[in-house]
Amino acid sequence: MNVNPKYIREIGELVMRCDDVIEEPAWKALAFVFDITEGHMANSGFLYVDDEIIPAAAGIEDDLMALDNKILEFREAIFEACGHKFVQLLIQMNSAGKIHIDFEFDNPKRWNMGPSNYRAMREQLRPAFD
Protein backbone atom coordinates (compact mmCIF):
# COMPACT_ATOMS: atom_id res chain seq x y z
CA MET A 1 0.00 0.00 0.00
CA ASN A 2 1.51 3.31 -1.07
CA VAL A 3 0.26 6.16 1.14
CA ASN A 4 2.06 9.43 1.75
CA PRO A 5 3.93 9.19 5.10
CA LYS A 6 3.00 12.81 5.83
CA TYR A 7 -0.26 11.51 7.30
CA ILE A 8 1.57 9.59 10.03
CA ARG A 9 3.68 12.64 10.92
CA GLU A 10 0.67 14.98 10.93
CA ILE A 11 -1.43 12.61 13.04
CA GLY A 12 1.45 12.29 15.51
CA GLU A 13 1.80 16.06 15.74
CA LEU A 14 -1.93 16.43 16.40
CA VAL A 15 -1.90 13.73 19.08
CA MET A 16 0.88 15.65 20.84
CA ARG A 17 -1.48 18.68 20.95
CA CYS A 18 -4.28 16.74 22.65
CA ASP A 19 -5.34 18.14 26.00
CA ASP A 20 -4.97 14.90 27.99
CA VAL A 21 -1.46 14.38 26.56
CA ILE A 22 -0.37 17.94 27.40
CA GLU A 23 -1.88 17.78 30.89
CA GLU A 24 0.16 14.66 31.80
CA PRO A 25 3.78 15.59 31.02
CA ALA A 26 5.15 12.43 32.65
CA TRP A 27 3.59 10.05 30.10
CA LYS A 28 5.98 7.49 28.61
CA ALA A 29 3.61 5.96 26.05
CA LEU A 30 0.05 6.31 24.83
CA ALA A 31 -2.56 4.44 22.87
CA PHE A 32 -5.74 5.78 21.31
CA VAL A 33 -8.39 3.78 19.47
CA PHE A 34 -10.62 5.64 17.01
CA ASP A 35 -13.95 4.10 16.01
CA ILE A 36 -15.12 5.40 12.66
CA THR A 37 -18.51 4.95 11.02
CA GLU A 38 -20.16 7.03 8.37
CA GLY A 39 -20.96 10.35 10.02
CA HIS A 40 -19.51 9.51 13.46
CA MET A 41 -16.13 9.15 15.15
CA ALA A 42 -15.25 8.43 18.77
CA ASN A 43 -12.01 7.64 20.56
CA SER A 44 -10.69 6.36 23.85
CA GLY A 45 -7.31 5.37 25.11
CA PHE A 46 -4.64 5.39 27.75
CA LEU A 47 -1.56 7.27 28.86
CA TYR A 48 1.13 5.06 30.36
CA VAL A 49 3.14 6.69 33.16
CA ASP A 50 5.60 4.10 34.50
CA ASP A 51 3.33 1.52 36.20
CA GLU A 52 0.26 3.78 36.16
CA ILE A 53 -2.31 3.62 33.36
CA ILE A 54 -4.48 6.71 32.94
CA PRO A 55 -7.67 6.65 30.82
CA ALA A 56 -7.54 9.39 28.18
CA ALA A 57 -9.27 10.81 25.14
CA ALA A 58 -7.71 12.43 22.08
CA GLY A 59 -9.12 15.90 21.72
CA ILE A 60 -7.73 19.38 21.11
CA GLU A 61 -9.88 21.93 22.94
CA ASP A 62 -9.02 24.92 20.76
CA ASP A 63 -9.35 22.95 17.49
CA LEU A 64 -11.94 20.24 18.17
CA MET A 65 -12.11 18.76 14.68
CA ALA A 66 -8.41 18.91 13.69
CA LEU A 67 -7.49 15.34 14.61
CA ASP A 68 -10.78 13.82 13.47
CA ASN A 69 -10.53 15.60 10.12
CA LYS A 70 -6.93 14.42 9.64
CA ILE A 71 -7.95 10.84 10.41
CA LEU A 72 -10.81 11.07 7.90
CA GLU A 73 -8.39 12.45 5.31
CA PHE A 74 -6.00 9.57 6.07
CA ARG A 75 -8.89 7.10 5.79
CA GLU A 76 -9.67 8.42 2.30
CA ALA A 77 -6.01 8.11 1.27
CA ILE A 78 -6.01 4.48 2.49
CA PHE A 79 -9.25 3.86 0.60
CA GLU A 80 -7.75 5.27 -2.60
CA ALA A 81 -4.65 3.10 -2.14
CA CYS A 82 -6.32 -0.23 -1.33
CA GLY A 83 -10.07 0.11 -1.91
CA HIS A 84 -11.05 -0.41 1.74
CA LYS A 85 -11.98 1.98 4.55
CA PHE A 86 -10.83 1.17 8.06
CA VAL A 87 -13.45 1.06 10.82
CA GLN A 88 -10.96 1.37 13.67
CA LEU A 89 -7.57 3.05 13.90
CA LEU A 90 -5.04 2.38 16.66
CA ILE A 91 -2.41 5.02 17.35
CA GLN A 92 0.46 4.12 19.66
CA MET A 93 3.29 6.49 20.53
CA ASN A 94 6.08 6.83 23.02
CA SER A 95 7.48 10.03 24.50
CA ALA A 96 10.59 9.73 22.29
CA GLY A 97 8.37 10.31 19.24
CA LYS A 98 8.07 6.79 17.86
CA ILE A 99 4.66 6.12 16.42
CA HIS A 100 2.83 3.00 15.28
CA ILE A 101 -0.53 3.02 13.53
CA ASP A 102 -2.65 -0.06 12.92
CA PHE A 103 -5.95 -0.46 11.10
CA GLU A 104 -8.99 -2.68 11.39
CA PHE A 105 -11.01 -2.98 8.21
CA ASP A 106 -13.55 -5.69 9.08
CA ASN A 107 -14.18 -6.05 12.81
CA PRO A 108 -15.52 -2.76 14.28
CA LYS A 109 -15.13 -4.19 17.80
CA ARG A 110 -11.53 -5.42 17.59
CA TRP A 111 -10.20 -2.91 20.15
CA ASN A 112 -13.47 -2.13 21.97
CA MET A 113 -13.35 -1.99 25.74
CA GLY A 114 -15.99 -2.94 28.24
CA PRO A 115 -16.23 -4.16 31.83
CA SER A 116 -15.23 -7.71 30.94
CA ASN A 117 -12.04 -6.86 29.03
CA TYR A 118 -11.02 -3.40 30.28
CA ARG A 119 -7.93 -4.49 32.25
CA ALA A 120 -6.72 -6.85 29.57
CA MET A 121 -7.28 -4.33 26.78
CA ARG A 122 -5.31 -1.56 28.44
CA GLU A 123 -2.31 -3.92 28.56
CA GLN A 124 -2.93 -5.21 25.05
CA LEU A 125 -2.89 -1.63 23.71
CA ARG A 126 0.31 -0.69 25.59
CA PRO A 127 2.96 0.22 22.98
CA ALA A 128 6.09 -1.93 22.85
CA PHE A 129 8.80 -0.22 20.82
CA ASP A 130 11.81 -2.54 20.92
Side-chain angles (χ1 to χ4, degrees), residues 67-84:
L67 183 55
D68 288 1
N69 288 340
K70 184 55 63 179
I71 288 172
L72 291 174
E73 185 181 327
F74 184 45
R75 186 178 189 223
E76 279 304 308
I78 297 293
F79 177 70
E80 290 174 14
C82 72
H84 301 285

Side-chain angles (χ1 to χ4, degrees), residues 43-64:
N43 76 76
S44 59
F46 302 100
L47 299 175
Y48 300 90
V49 182
D50 298 321
D51 292 333
E52 187 179 6
I53 303 171
I54 303 167
I60 303 169
E61 185 176 331
D62 63 345
D63 198 355
L64 293 176

Side-chain angles (χ1 to χ4, degrees), residues 111-126:
W111 295 303
N112 282 11
M113 291 169 261
S116 65
N117 71 345
Y118 181 78
R119 289 186 184 275
M121 189 58 70
R122 63 187 195 171
E123 286 302 327
Q124 180 184 333
L125 296 176
R126 182 189 294 264

